[in-house]
């Protein structure tokens, strides 16, 4: 079992894996409940760039997702995009500090790190100015990532929302050149955050690189494309490198009219740092891959690139980073006929502008920050983070750095102190017991809906479509509700073993002395033990009994007077769509829908409660059995309802007043069925 | 454990109808394990009584409470205030619990919500079966660990009757003939010769036929 330390205590793996600890479970559940506005608010509270992250985040949360141990992880990033792209997102209002602190902070660089720190500091009441060297704000999101993955207007809208908090963005100002770093304090800035990113391409270090026309760096090529400068592209192009920058360059080249684009990478596909999905899409669009290949020399004719000489490699022993080192195979040289070579072999921060003032990392290019995690540089009141400190990394790591910097800077401005940040030990996700995996029903992850290759190559239109409401809710319902499950109150437990026997996944275990343990990671919160436990020693966070009662009470309070009044317990796992609940409410004002994650959690007591609250009838609408995440429990629902029915009859109710309904293939419930039920209840003498 | 079964709601309603203020009192040991006296069953039964009363127009009040074991004076003393405030207590314990309650609260009406069924075991969730009658002098050493008194319909001690057929008792094909089981098991443990020893006439005094039983441990009592 996972040791509980501060950072991991019952965090679901998705949250734990996220650099900014996004409450993924919460928003996924809200999407499942079709509470999209709340889902967006949940995301947005932590992440100032949700539309960006919904599209390009490397989603370590998905890698950690428990569902991934059953079949495939939840499409968390797509769900984020869904929540962030909808019209409901416009209703979000950030909670601004009531009073301004009067402190001024300068931020250098408008990439995700700079935007995140600006956002958080503005909310805390500080006055923030972002200085950006380029004519446009957004950093690599705007001038690196191509539009087909992240449209400009998406980035612009995110920045607009941050500007709306009172943040000033000054583009076209290069700090260190136009304004010296040291001059910022003279302008009244009491703290500075350097988030200059890593925009300087490394060189290949081979002959021909510097003198020939047609050799370009990937970052400057992508920047030119993104700034609409329509750079000239060759007909046959080699892109050297294996990261996302290489793949983005290759795919952009195809869109700019290149006929043959080959990615030359020195190791094999497995070692390629680019996201697998990106590699697949590139191949799908026609990019050729030359794995295990290194460039040796660029040949030219009349001062222009004419060919790239390469050598084949084989993989040798692992290097310090654990990746196997490519070793050239002698005699395997060959030439690629190309008229353009794009170098995408890594980037470094352009820190030379600050080299005389600031300490740099040992490798000489990254900005040095203290080991405490406060992101303080060697100079007082100057902080740094993002790619400028880590080297090329990811948007979400840059956002995390920005958020940490906001905490540090805020503390520094208020008290001249610096926080010491506890490094959280990120552990591997716990393994699910194989019995649990076997007994968990698989559901497939929605396949992506992408533009056809023909349409993609016509321009830079966004490739991937957003999930529809119905697909998003279905996807969110695959969540296994980590840590929202059963918890035993040891003082109440009488070791009756009911939970051990009733759990469909075999999660609860018992010791010789009768001590019950429920592995909170393996439990999937079906709720069966909660209700079967004879002494009610088990509680649950997902749809607790109290929550179901409350939902019923609130809903019933609104409809008294309607007759016959009928409570319907509906399973979220039914195949109903947008508007189905609303149309039920409209067509049947006398039906009170109570939505739950599985009607298996509805107990006799809940049914009696409905009658006690004034219902004339109750029905349990269970989802089609194929949709139920738990196998072989349909029977249990039947038996429980018939038990409750007998008891009700003995208490003077009629058997017509309680029924089970199987939710149809589409919609919440079939009208004929409801009409018949209402008729039966009305007709009771 | 002692298994108990909740009485039918109709019987309970008749029994309780004259007492406007009713305390439904659970017992969280054997009765709870039998799904008859735990907090959950208390809630369910109280809800059922309330609903029935609502139908008949005389609602009164139905309170819910539980104790660890109603067969222990200390536990039941803990709910004496609740007991004092009601007109009658509907106890969801076995007969022993109901009686101790009645003794302890001498001027209160005590009603049994359960029937005490037997001393038995859990076969699976929701299924129990009888194993022991508490005869006071155990014979299991001679019968391969299977009790002919509890499990033979005729309580025969010296082998099966003529009605044993294909391992089943003549009273029903759903009832195993325990003597068949005893013989099978004795042969498995190589002790068939035990059958040659004839049981003498059983002394039923320790089984209660000599009047109510009492157990005293001189070393423990005060
Ligand atoms: C082609 C490409 C594709 C990528 N794809 C992904 C992806 O799919 N998913 C992902 O998570 N990450 C991706 N990344 C990485 C991600 O974009 C970066 O990790 C992230 O943008 C770093 O954020 P940052 O704020 O540290 O720096 P940047 O975003 O680089 O922003 C730094 C900003 O500072 C400005 N600046 C620099 N010097 C100065 C100065 N002296 N004065 C004023 N302004 C200055 C720069 O112009 C720039 O706008 C990609 C990167 C590239 C290059
Ligand atoms: S069902 Fe309840 S009382 Fe029984 S063992 Fe489990 S937790 Fe304990
Ligand atoms: S909530 Fe369901 S999955 Fe979790 S322990 Fe209880 S019965 Fe098992």
């Amino acid at each position: 079992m996972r040791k509980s330390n501060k950072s991991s205590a019952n965090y679901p793996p998705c949250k734990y894996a996220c650099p900014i600890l996004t409450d993924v479970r919460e928003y996924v559940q809200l999407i499942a409940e079709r509470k999209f506005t709340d889902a967006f608010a949940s995301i947005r509270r932590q992440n100032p760039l949700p539309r960006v992250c919904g599209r390009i985040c490397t989603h370590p949360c998905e890698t950690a997702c428990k569902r991934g141990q059953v079949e495939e992880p939840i499409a968390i990033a797509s769900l984020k995009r869904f929540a962030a792209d909808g019209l409901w997102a416009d209703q979000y209002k950030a909670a601004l500090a009531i009073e301004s602190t009067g402190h001024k902070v300068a931020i250098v660089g408008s990439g995700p790190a700079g935007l995140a720190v600006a956002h958080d500091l503005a909310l805390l009441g500080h006055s923030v100015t972002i200085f950006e060297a380029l004519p446009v704000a957004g950093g690599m999101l705007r001038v690196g990532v191509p539009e087909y993955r992240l449209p400009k207007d998406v980035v612009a809208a995110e920045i607009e929302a941050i500007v709306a908090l009172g943040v000033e963005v000054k583009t076209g100002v290069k700090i260190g050149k136009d304004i010296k770093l040291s001059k910022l304090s003279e302008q009244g800035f009491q703290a500075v955050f350097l988030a200059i990113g890593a925009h300087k391409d490394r060189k290949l270090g081979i002959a021909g690189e510097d003198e020939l026309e047609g050799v370009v760096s990937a970052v400057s090529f992508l920047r030119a494309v993104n700034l609409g400068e329509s750079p000239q592209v060759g007909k046959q192009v080699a892109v050297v490198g294996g990261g996302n920058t290489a793949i983005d360059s290759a795919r952009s080249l195809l869109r700019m009219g290149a006929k043959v684009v080959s990615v030359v990478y020195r190791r094999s596909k497995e070692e390629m740092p680019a996201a697998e999905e990106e590699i697949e899409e590139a191949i799908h669009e026609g990019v050729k891959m030359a794995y295990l290949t290194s460039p040796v020399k660029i040949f030219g004719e009349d001062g222009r690139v004419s060919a790239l000489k390469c050598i084949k490699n084989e993989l040798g022993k692992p290097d310090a980073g654990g990746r196997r080192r490519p070793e050239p195979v002698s005699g395997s040289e060959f030439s690629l006929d190309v008229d353009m070579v794009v170098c995408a072999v890594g980037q470094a921060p352009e820190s030379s502008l600050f080299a005389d003032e600031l300490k740099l990392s040992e490798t000489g290019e990254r900005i040095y920050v203290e080991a405490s995690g406060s992101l303080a540089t060697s100079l007082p009141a100057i902080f740094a983070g993002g790619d400028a400190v880590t080297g090329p990394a990811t948007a979400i790591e840059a956002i995390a750095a920005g958020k940490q910097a906001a905490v540090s800077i805020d503390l520094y401005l208020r008290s001249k102190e610096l926080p010491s940040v506890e490094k959280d030990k990120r552990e591997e996700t716990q393994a699910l017991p194989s019995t649990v995996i076997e007994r968990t029903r698989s559901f497939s992850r929605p396949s992506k809906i992408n533009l056809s290759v023909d349409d993609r190559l016509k321009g830079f239109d966004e490739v991937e479509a957003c999930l529809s409401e119905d697909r998003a809710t279905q996807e969110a319902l695959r969540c296994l509700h980590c840590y929202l499950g059963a918890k035993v109150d040891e003082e109440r437990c009488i070791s009756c073993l009911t939970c051990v026997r009733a759990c469909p996944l075999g999660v609860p275990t018992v010791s010789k002395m009768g001590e019950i343990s429920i592995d909170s990671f393996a439990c999937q919160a079906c709720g069966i033990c909660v209700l079967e436990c004879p002494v009610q020693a088990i509680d649950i966070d997902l749809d607790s009994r109290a929550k179901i009662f409350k939902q019923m009470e609130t809903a019933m309070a609104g409809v008294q007077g309607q007759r016959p009044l009928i409570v319907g317990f509906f399973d979220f796992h039914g195949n109903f769509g947008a508007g189905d609940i609303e149309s039920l409410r409209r067509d049947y004002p006398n039906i009170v829908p109570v939505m739950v994650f599985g009607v298996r959690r509805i107990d006799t007591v809940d049914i009696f409660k409905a009658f006690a609250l004034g219902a004339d009838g109750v029905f349990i609408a269970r989802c089609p059995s194929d949709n139920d995440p738990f196998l072989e429990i349909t029977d249990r629902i039947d038996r429980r309802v018939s038990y409750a029915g007998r008891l009700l009859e003995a208490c003077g109710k009629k058997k017509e007043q309680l029924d089970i309904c199987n939710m149809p293939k589409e919609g919440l419930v079939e009208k004929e069925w409801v009409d018949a039920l209402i008729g039966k209840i009305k007709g009771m003498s | 454990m002692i298994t108990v079964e909740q009485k039918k709601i109709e019987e309970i309603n008749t029994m309780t109808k004259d007492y406007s203020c009713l305390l439904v009192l659970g017992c969280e040991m054997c009765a709870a394990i039998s799904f008859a006296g735990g907090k959950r069953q208390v809630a369910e039964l109280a809800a059922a009584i309330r609903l029935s009363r609502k139908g008949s127009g005389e609602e009164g009040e139905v309170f819910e409470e539980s104790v660890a074991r109603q067969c222990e004076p200390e536990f039941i003393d803990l709910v004496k205030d609740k007991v004092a405030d009601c007109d009658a207590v509907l106890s969801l314990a076995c007969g022993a619990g109901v009686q101790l309650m009645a003794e302890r609260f001498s001027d209160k009406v005590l009603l049994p919500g359960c029937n005490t069924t037997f001393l038995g075991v859990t076969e699976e969730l929701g299924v129990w079966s009888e194993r022991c009658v508490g005869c006071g002098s155990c014979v299991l050493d001679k019968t391969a660990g299977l009790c002919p008194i509890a499990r033979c319909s005729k309580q025969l001690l010296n082998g099966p009757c003529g009605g044993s057929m294909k391992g089943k008792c003549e009273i029903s094909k759903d009832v195993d003939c325990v003597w068949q089981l005893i013989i099978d098991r004795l042969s498995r443990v190589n002790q068939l010769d035990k059958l040659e020893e004839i049981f003498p006439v059983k002394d039923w005094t320790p089984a209660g036929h000599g009047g109510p039983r009492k157990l005293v441990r001189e070393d423990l009592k005060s």
Side-chain angles (χ1 to χ4, degrees):
Chain A
M1 215 170 269
R2 170 182 281 166
K3 291 184 298 302
S4 65
N5 64 33
K6 189 169 138 261
S7 48
S8 71
N10 286 1
Y11 279 0
C14 47
K15 170 170 179 169
Y16 192 49
C18 175
I20 61 166
L21 296 175
T22 303
D23 198 341
V24 175
R25 183 185 66 190
E26 178 179 82
Y27 78 76
V28 169
Q29 195 186 320
L30 288 166
I31 292 173
E33 294 177 34
R34 292 180 177 269
K35 295 181 182 155
F36 305 137
T37 315
D38 297 345
F40 178 71
S42 163
I43 298 168
R44 183 62 179 75
R45 270 194 297 274
Q46 276 156 307
N47 188 339
L49 305 171
R51 293 187 183 100
V52 168
C53 290
R55 288 173 166 81
I56 64 145
C57 187
T58 48
H59 45 68
C61 50
E62 292 189 19
T63 313
C65 172
K66 183 163 95 179
R67 233 321 155 195
Q69 295 186 39
V70 180
E71 359 74 18
E72 285 175 289
I74 310 291
I76 299 172
S78 304
L79 287 176
K80 175 172 288 148
R81 171 170 171 195
F82 165 77
D85 274 11
L87 289 176
W88 50 80
D90 297 338
Q91 296 169 24
Y92 180 79
K93 290 263 174 300
L96 264 172
I98 308 164
E99 275 180 32
S100 143
T101 60
H103 294 302
K104 274 177 77 183
V105 184
I107 290 160
V108 184
S110 62
L115 292 171
V117 74
H119 171 266
D120 284 15
L121 286 176
L123 292 188
L124 291 166
H126 303 300
S127 147
V128 183
T129 307
I130 301 181
F131 294 98
E132 168 56 55
L134 293 171
V136 291
M140 280 303 188
L141 306 178
R142 177 62 178 75
V143 298
V145 186
E147 275 222 85
Y148 60 83
R149 288 208 290 132
L150 180 59
K152 284 192 192 76
D153 55 356
V154 170
V155 182
E158 304 269 54
I159 296 175
E160 227 170 87
I162 294 171
V163 168
L165 304 175
V167 172
E168 195 180 351
V169 183
K170 291 190 170 165
T171 50
V173 184
K174 193 160 192 169
I175 301 298
K177 187 163 158 262
D178 301 329
I179 305 177
K180 279 300 219 191
L181 190 55
S182 50
K183 286 276 180 295
L184 286 172
S185 64
E186 288 166 28
Q187 295 193 6
F189 292 105
Q190 290 142 303
V192 177
F193 181 61
L194 291 172
I196 59 169
H199 289 227
K200 202 174 75 188
D201 266 308
R202 287 188 201 288
K203 301 241 166 198
L204 296 176
I206 57 174
E209 182 174 11
D210 291 326
E211 55 279 14
L212 291 171
E213 205 182 313
V215 183
V216 297
S217 91
V219 165
S220 52
F221 169 69
L222 286 171
R223 184 190 305 134
V225 174
N226 272 314
L227 290 175
E229 292 167 0
S230 315
Q232 269 245 300
V233 303
K235 292 242 163 329
Q236 293 176 303
V237 189
V239 178
V240 183
N244 279 331
T245 312
I247 302 293
D248 282 342
S249 303
R251 293 177 70 187
S252 298
L253 281 158
L254 285 180
R255 286 166 172 77
M256 305 280 297
K259 291 285 166 274
V260 183
V261 177
S262 313
V263 169
V264 174
Y265 177 56
R266 58 198 181 132
R267 293 184 166 99
S268 68
K269 187 175 176 185
E270 284 68 52
E271 287 83 20
M272 221 166 174
E276 193 178 331
E277 217 179 300
E278 294 299 311
I279 305 172
E280 293 309 327
E281 289 305 331
I283 296 173
H284 188 55
E285 288 171 7
V287 171
K288 302 208 165 4
M289 294 289 167
Y291 301 115
L292 289 168
T293 305
S294 291
V296 179
K297 184 176 176 182
I298 307 172
F299 292 106
E301 258 175 46
D302 307 328
R304 261 207 81 86
V305 174
S306 64
L308 178 68
K309 185 180 171 191
C310 300
I311 190 162
K312 295 294 287 178
N313 298 321
E314 55 187 21
L315 291 180
K317 296 226 160 51
D319 62 14
R323 288 191 304 173
R324 292 173 67 192
R325 201 191 302 274
E327 284 162 8
V329 180
S330 64
S332 69
E333 290 89 348
F334 66 99
S335 259
L336 281 175
D337 285 338
V338 292
D339 50 8
M340 183 177 181
V341 174
V342 177
C343 317
V345 289
Q347 301 93 39
E350 248 188 288
S351 55
S352 52
L353 284 173
F354 309 109
D356 48 349
E357 294 169 276
L358 275 180
K359 186 168 161 192
L360 299 182
S361 70
E362 272 153 28
T363 51
E365 286 171 313
R366 300 178 190 172
I367 298 175
Y368 164 88
V369 293
E370 285 178 8
S372 66
S374 67
L375 298 180
T377 63
S378 55
L379 288 180
I382 298 189
F383 297 78
D387 282 5
V389 166
T390 57
T394 62
I396 192 65
E397 287 167 285
I399 294 172
K403 292 184 79 72
Q404 175 55 50
V407 173
S408 299
I409 294 171
D410 182 56
L411 182 69
Y412 176 79
L413 290 173
R414 291 174 196 277
S415 65
K416 293 279 175 274
E417 276 172 36
L418 290 175
S420 126
V421 184
E422 221 178 287
K423 264 230 166 68
D424 54 17
K425 299 177 247 126
R426 300 208 177 250
E427 293 164 52
E428 294 282 306
T429 303
Q430 206 181 323
L432 273 181
S434 58
T435 45
V436 171
I437 295 179
E438 280 157 26
R439 295 183 200 180
T440 304
R441 196 193 291 270
S442 294
F443 295 97
S444 55
R445 179 180 158 117
S447 47
K448 297 208 152 147
I449 298 182
N450 287 342
L451 277 188
S452 72
V453 170
D454 278 353
D455 284 337
R456 292 185 203 183
L457 298 185
K458 282 180 196 149
F460 278 79
D461 284 353
E462 186 164 22
V463 169
E464 197 181 321
C466 187
L467 291 174
S468 68
E469 280 191 23
D470 290 350
R471 276 161 49 99
T473 20
Q474 292 301 326
E475 176 59 6
L477 281 163
R478 289 172 66 228
C479 172
L480 295 177
H481 307 295
C482 302
Y483 298 120
L484 287 180
K487 288 166 195 69
V488 184
D489 177 344
E490 284 161 24
E491 281 186 17
R492 289 206 50 75
C493 173
I494 56 165
S495 305
C496 73
L497 298 168
T498 303
C499 50
V500 175
R501 294 170 179 143
C503 175
L505 303 174
V507 174
T509 54
V510 65
S511 76
K512 239 190 328 193
M513 294 313 292
E515 198 183 327
I516 296 290
S517 341
I518 299 185
D519 177 342
S520 50
F521 184 71
C523 169
Q524 293 170 15
C526 76
I528 287 176
C529 62
V530 180
L531 148 158
E532 298 292 8
C533 172
V535 295
Q536 299 185 333
I538 308 180
D539 208 350
I540 193 162
D541 287 326
L542 181 75
D543 272 348
S544 64
R545 180 175 290 116
K547 191 175 158 199
I548 296 175
F549 268 24
K550 183 119 197 103
Q551 205 195 137
M552 217 179 348
E553 269 168 3
T554 321
M556 297 281 283
V559 292
Q560 293 296 350
Q562 302 279 353
R563 286 266 107 81
L565 188 55
I566 298 174
V567 172
F569 292 100
F570 290 96
D571 194 329
F572 277 119
H573 289 88
N575 293 320
F576 57 92
D580 281 341
I581 299 180
E582 287 70 35
S583 71
L584 177 85
R585 286 216 168 92
R586 200 176 45 242
D587 298 347
Y588 298 99
N590 54 329
I591 291 192
V592 179
V594 175
M595 305 297 305
V596 289
F597 284 97
V599 291
R600 73 191 93 81
R601 57 182 84 235
I602 298 305
D603 194 8
T604 318
V605 180
D606 301 307
I607 296 170
F608 272 79
K609 175 83 176 175
F611 284 106
L613 288 171
D616 302 302
V618 169
F619 66 89
I620 310 263
R622 70 172 156 220
C623 66
S625 60
D626 287 351
N627 288 16
D628 201 307
F630 299 93
L631 304 162
E632 291 159 25
I633 54 162
T634 323
D635 244 26
R636 188 185 282 277
I637 297 169
D638 279 320
R639 282 182 277 131
R640 192 179 304 132
V641 174
S642 70
Y643 170 83
R646 279 197 306 275
L647 199 56
L648 277 172
E649 272 189 85
C651 296
K653 296 280 165 197
K654 296 266 173 345
K655 67 170 181 302
E656 291 81 0
Q657 288 175 280
L658 176 65
D659 211 343
I660 265 195
C661 141
N662 295 312
M663 289 170 87
K665 285 252 169 330
E666 263 167 49
L668 268 177
V669 73
E670 266 148 10
K671 282 201 164 208
E672 299 74 43
W673 190 89
V674 186
D675 293 335
L677 178 72
I678 294 175
K680 270 192 290 186
I681 294 176
K682 273 194 180 149
M684 283 174 350
S685 50
Chain B
M1 67 183 235
I2 297 169
T3 57
V4 302
E5 186 183 19
Q6 233 176 53
K7 285 180 179 288
K8 291 244 166 340
I9 180 75
E10 294 89 335
E11 186 183 347
I12 291 177
N13 279 336
T14 315
M15 201 193 290
T16 55
K17 69 173 186 320
D18 295 334
Y19 308 101
S20 165
C21 179
L22 186 69
L23 176 68
V24 181
L25 186 65
C27 180
E28 303 213 321
M29 191 44 90
C30 307
I33 300 176
S34 311
F35 292 84
K39 195 172 176 214
R40 176 186 181 209
Q41 288 77 34
V42 169
E44 190 180 283
L45 184 58
I49 297 172
R50 283 186 206 111
L51 198 65
S52 313
R53 288 183 167 195
K54 206 172 181 178
S56 65
E58 286 183 39
E59 292 193 36
E61 274 185 294
V62 182
F63 294 103
E64 300 171 30
E65 190 51 83
S66 290
V67 294
R69 297 196 292 276
Q70 291 183 32
C71 52
E72 313 279 9
E74 289 87 342
F75 286 129
I76 57 184
D77 282 355
L78 292 173
V79 290
K80 63 172 186 298
D81 293 346
K82 296 252 165 88
V83 173
D85 287 348
C86 65
D87 301 327
V89 178
L90 178 68
S91 159
L92 298 187
C94 67
V98 180
Q99 291 180 58
L100 188 63
M101 287 286 297
E103 270 169 51
R104 213 65 192 171
F105 303 110
S106 51
D107 52 359
K108 191 61 63 181
V109 175
L110 248 299
L111 306 166
C114 294
N115 296 319
T116 311
T117 40
F118 49 71
L119 287 184
V121 297
T122 309
E123 291 186 5
E124 57 178 282
L125 185 58
V127 182
W128 299 267
S129 55
E130 183 168 18
R131 287 292 187 276
C132 178
V133 295
C135 78
S137 104
C138 192
V139 300
L140 291 174
D141 58 320
K142 303 190 177 65
T143 56
L146 303 161
C147 180
I149 303 166
R151 301 170 67 185
C152 164
S153 309
K154 298 173 185 165
Q155 303 193 327
L156 297 178
L157 284 172
N158 287 298
C161 69
S164 176
M165 257 186 322
K166 293 193 177 136
K168 297 294 170 188
C169 171
E170 69 176 344
I171 65 152
S172 156
K173 60 178 185 337
D174 296 327
V175 175
D176 287 329
C177 167
V178 78
W179 272 109
Q180 180 71 55
L181 299 176
I182 292 170
I183 289 164
D184 291 349
R185 193 154 192 282
L186 279 174
S187 45
R188 247 178 284 133
V189 296
N190 252 334
Q191 292 185 347
L192 263 183
D193 53 324
K194 291 221 165 176
L195 288 178
E196 284 168 21
E197 190 187 328
I198 303 292
F199 268 99
V201 174
K202 185 167 169 72
D203 175 7
W204 290 97
T205 318
H209 294 211
R213 291 173 280 181
K214 186 159 184 156
L215 175 64
V216 180
R217 277 278 302 261
E218 290 298 342
D219 57 330
L220 293 174
K221 71 176 250 224
S222 50

